[in-house]
């Protein structure tokens, strides 16, 4: 099973478009991009746990349209 690395998470966050729109939690891509090194480890850990256990939070499946 392939896991995602912290460096991959950093690359993905860095490639996000600069949007001023906020998500359901009030975060925008500018904030995420400016703190990507701090978020990389916990995000990679959560993704890898989800993949390993085949469990995906229902909140990860929601979108604000």
């Amino acid at each position: 099973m392939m896991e995602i690395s912290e460096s991959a998470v950093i690359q993905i966050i860095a490639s996000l478009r600069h949007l001023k729109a906020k998500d359901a939690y009030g975060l925008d891509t500018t904030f995420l991009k400016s703190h990507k090194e701090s978020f990389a480890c916990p995000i990679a850990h959560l993704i890898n746990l989800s993949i390993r256990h085949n469990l995906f939070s229902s909140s990860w499946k929601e979108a604000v349209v």
Side-chain angles (χ1 to χ4, degrees):
M1 173 181 341
M2 189 171 169
E3 292 194 346
I4 190 165
S5 67
E6 289 180 39
S7 61
V9 171
I10 290 171
Q11 287 178 331
I12 292 166
I13 293 172
S15 71
L16 294 173
R17 295 183 318 178
H18 286 286
L19 300 173
K20 293 183 181 178
K22 298 189 184 302
D23 69 4
Y25 302 102
L27 300 175
D28 59 16
T29 55
T30 303
F31 178 79
L32 187 59
K33 289 178 108 174
S34 66
H35 296 87
K36 62 185 172 285
E37 287 82 11
S38 299
F39 290 130
C41 181
I43 289 173
H45 181 69
L46 286 171
I47 292 169
N48 290 327
L49 280 175
S50 293
I51 292 169
R52 197 173 305 130
H53 297 285
N54 199 29
L55 296 171
F56 299 90
S57 171
S58 60
S59 65
W60 288 11
K61 301 173 188 177
E62 294 177 12
V64 177
V65 180

